[in-house]
Every structure is written in structure tokens, then in C-alpha cells.
Amino acid sequence: MDEMRLIPIILASKSPRRKQLLNQIGVEFSVQPSSVKEDFSLDLQPATFTEHWAREKAKNIAKSHPDSLVVGADTIVVLEGKILGKPVDEKDSFVMLKSLSGNTHEVITGVSIYSEKYEVDQTFNECTFVSFNTLSDSDINYYIKTYNPIDKAGSYGIQDWFSVNVHKIKGCFYNVMGFPLSAFYHHYRAISESLNSQDKNY
């Protein structure tokens, strides 16, 4: 994939987990967090919601970085059709985790790879099903006080202590962390091969 490194890659996210995962697969990139904020009042299906905001985030950064490929991402938790974003405070965090206790929910991440200059506009989503054990109030409070999951969709991080409460996962583990590595790499490689074959003189 050396040829792809000639085009600067920008991750339009401040998520340390997404940064960690891209580093894990050897992608060279810089970070430029998008200023776009999700509007949860939009009447969109969950998967469409994630794709819409991932693309908006990528486009937001691409406007000022036309020579780069911009990667935007948006992750939500969905329980019985209801979208759960990031909690606004500790009380909201408790309510979220209480609702997820003993249930199976979906984690959906939308990812967008965008560049007007290189005519790249690919957006997709990945869904993973996650089942929790029944959580005690004391465990929920301990987790909130110790790990402060305010910056996490659904108010938990599968990569930290909360993993002891995960009964079962069906789908991509990395998607639950906020970035579906396998699906991303599939699209990323296809884009690289397409750009090379078109000889766009980049």
C-alpha cells in the first residue's frame, strides 16, 4: 500500500481509539477533528444516520484540505430501534447502561472516505450485535466513577474494564471500539487500486 501514502490521509476525528486502530494497520495519517455535531432529531434510520454524519464530518475537513483523502466516522448504539449517542452527564450514563443491562444491542459505525479532487466519495456502515450480562447498580456506578465514559457511544468502552460485562459479540469487535478495520481496509485498498489504474498524477 505504499502508493497510497503519496496522498495525505486525514482522520476527521479526535477519538483516541480510532487513531489507535489506524496505527494498528500501518496507515499513515494526520488528525484534524471535524467541528460537525450530530443532530439526533434527524428522522433517519440508524444505519443511514451514521453514514450521513460520517460523510458530513469528512466533507467538513475536506473543504480546507483538498489534497487529502479524509476519513470520517460516526458510531452509535441502538437498543430496540432507539439511538443512543454519548451521554451528556453521569446521570444519563447510568440510565443508558441500566437500559443495556441484560439486553442485546447494535453498535453501528458509519465510515466515509472523501475527496473531491480525487473523485472519492465512499460511505458505508458496519453493524455488530453486543449482549450484556445483567449489571448491578454498584457495578454501573463503579464504572462511571472510575472510567468516566462520557465520550463513548452507549456510555461504555469494550476495550476497558467494562469488557467483563460483555456476554457475547456477533460481528466485528473493532467496530464496537468505533472503527471497523476490516471493512475500512477493503474500501481503502479498492480506492488505492482505482486511483493507480486511473493514473491521476498524484
Side-chain angles (χ1 to χ4, degrees), residues 40 75-79 82-86 96 99-100 153-154:
F40 284 88
T75 301
I76 58 173
V77 166
V78 182
L79 178 65
K82 180 182 178 182
I83 295 176
L84 304 181
K86 298 175 183 178
M96 280 190 187
S99 69
L100 296 173

Side-chain angles (χ1 to χ4, degrees), residues 106-152:
E106 299 169 77
V107 177
I108 305 175
T109 300
V111 178
S112 182
I113 308 172
Y114 188 88
S115 169
E116 286 191 10
K117 177 177 180 177
Y118 301 109
E119 299 179 358
V120 174
D121 187 0
Q122 291 195 21
T123 305
F124 59 94
N125 75 81
E126 184 84 6
C127 179
T128 303
F129 292 88
V130 182
S131 301
F132 280 1
N133 297 325
T134 299
L135 311 174
S136 68
D137 288 359
S138 61
D139 278 349
I140 293 175
N141 284 321
Y142 167 78
Y143 180 67
I144 293 171
K145 294 294 185 183
T146 307
Y147 291 89
N148 190 32
I150 301 299
D151 66 331
K152 298 176 177 64

Side-chain angles (χ1 to χ4, degrees), residues 4-198:
M4 197 61 171
R5 293 173 185 164
L6 295 174
I7 302 178
I9 306 295
I10 297 177
L11 174 63
S13 171
K14 63 181 179 181
S15 166
R17 293 165 294 281
R18 290 181 182 133
K19 181 179 178 181
Q20 171 194 338
L21 292 174
L22 279 179
N23 280 326
Q24 183 173 310
I25 60 173
V27 174
E28 294 183 1
F29 65 98
S30 59
V31 175
Q32 183 70 43
S34 168
S35 60
V36 170
K37 302 296 182 184
E38 300 95 328
D39 178 1
F40 284 88
S41 69
L42 283 185
D43 186 19
L44 298 173
Q45 291 298 310
T48 304
F49 180 94
T50 63
E51 290 191 5
H52 172 81
W53 290 114
R55 188 170 183 269
E56 287 299 305
K57 292 174 182 179
K59 287 175 64 179
N60 174 256
I61 297 301
K63 287 186 297 185
S64 54
H65 296 82
D67 293 325
S68 300
L69 279 179
V70 182
V71 179
D74 189 71
T75 301
I76 58 173
V77 166
V78 182
L79 178 65
E80 298 176 350
K82 180 182 178 182
I83 295 176
L84 304 181
K86 298 175 183 178
V88 296
D89 53 29
E90 289 189 359
K91 181 179 180 181
D92 192 31
S93 181
F94 184 92
V95 171
M96 280 190 187
L97 292 174
K98 193 70 174 176
S99 69
L100 296 173
S101 174
N103 292 315
T104 297
H105 61 272
E106 299 169 77
V107 177
I108 305 175
T109 300
V111 178
S112 182
I113 308 172
Y114 188 88
S115 169
E116 286 191 10
K117 177 177 180 177
Y118 301 109
E119 299 179 358
V120 174
D121 187 0
Q122 291 195 21
T123 305
F124 59 94
N125 75 81
E126 184 84 6
C127 179
T128 303
F129 292 88
V130 182
S131 301
F132 280 1
N133 297 325
T134 299
L135 311 174
S136 68
D137 288 359
S138 61
D139 278 349
I140 293 175
N141 284 321
Y142 167 78
Y143 180 67
I144 293 171
K145 294 294 185 183
T146 307
Y147 291 89
N148 190 32
I150 301 299
D151 66 331
K152 298 176 177 64
S155 194
Y156 75 92
I158 198 167
Q159 71 281 358
D160 60 30
W161 177 86
F162 200 83
S163 59
V164 302
N165 297 303
V166 177
H167 172 64
K168 184 170 59 176
I169 298 174
K170 182 179 180 181
C172 176
F173 170 82
Y174 298 108
N175 186 48
V176 187
M177 286 182 66
F179 202 75
L181 280 182
S182 179
F184 168 76
Y185 190 76
H186 170 78
H187 286 268
Y188 173 73
R189 183 160 189 158
I191 290 169
S192 174
E193 293 171 351
S194 175
L195 290 176
N196 286 328
S197 67
Q198 293 174 37

